[in-house]
Amino acid sequence: MEVTVNARQSPADTEVCDVREALDLVADKWSLYVVSNLNDGPRRFNELKRAVQGVSQRMLTVTLRRLERDGILTRTVHEVMPPHVTYRLTPLGTSLLHAAAPLIAWSSDHLAEIASARAEHDRSQGLESPTVGARS
């Protein structure tokens, strides 16, 4: 693959931009949540919608399309009556889930500490503190 490099941009800068773009794939609010919910096999849209609490229908659609475009999951249309669609992790998606599993576990293990730190910080600032996981 040939890469055109801006005269002001070194190949290392280009690589950093590429890495940042790859990290953006998982750094958004919903991608890892969706990927982790596909761990046990294919799911239909409404199953994902119920499992990924707080996501809007539009945001789930955008997230699924982006993950499909990036090769993380596949979308399969089943020609049955009534027709339905399922989403499944690709091998690339499965490797992403394995890489992200420690981060997901860390998040789960430290929810109480994060909530406590937020509450203390907000108290010190004279603010009301919503709970961890509360939607803003």
Side-chain angles (χ1 to χ4, degrees):
M1 175 174 83
E2 189 174 316
V3 176
T4 304
V5 178
N6 183 319
R8 294 183 190 154
Q9 191 175 32
S10 73
D13 291 338
T14 301
E15 184 177 336
V16 167
C17 289
D18 292 344
V19 169
R20 186 179 60 235
E21 188 173 320
L23 287 173
D24 285 346
L25 165 70
V26 297
D28 74 77
K29 188 172 184 175
W30 302 111
S31 291
L32 284 181
Y33 206 179
V34 168
V35 168
S36 68
N37 275 284
L38 290 171
N39 185 43
D40 295 327
R43 291 186 117 176
R44 294 172 71 168
F45 183 90
N46 284 330
E47 290 175 306
L48 285 169
K49 176 86 172 69
R50 283 188 297 275
V52 181
Q53 297 174 1
V55 70
S56 69
Q57 183 165 331
R58 179 188 174 285
M59 197 66 234
L60 180 57
T61 298
V62 167
T63 300
L64 290 169
R65 285 181 182 160
R66 193 166 61 89
L67 290 171
E68 180 183 15
R69 179 176 181 252
D70 290 339
I72 303 300
L73 58 81
T74 58
R75 178 182 185 270
T76 304
V77 178
H78 300 272
E79 300 295 336
V80 295
M81 279 302 176
H84 67 271
V85 174
T86 57
Y87 298 89
R88 173 191 300 267
L89 290 178
T90 63
L92 183 61
T94 300
S95 72
L96 170 61
L97 182 58
H98 290 284
L103 178 60
I104 294 167
W106 180 90
S107 300
S108 179
D109 291 346
H110 296 283
L111 281 174
E113 292 170 76
I114 294 167
S116 177
R118 285 180 180 174
E120 180 155 338
H121 176 271
D122 290 352
R123 268 192 309 278
S124 74
Q125 300 296 311
L127 304 170
E128 288 188 36
S129 179
T131 60
V132 171
R135 306 287 177 234
S136 30

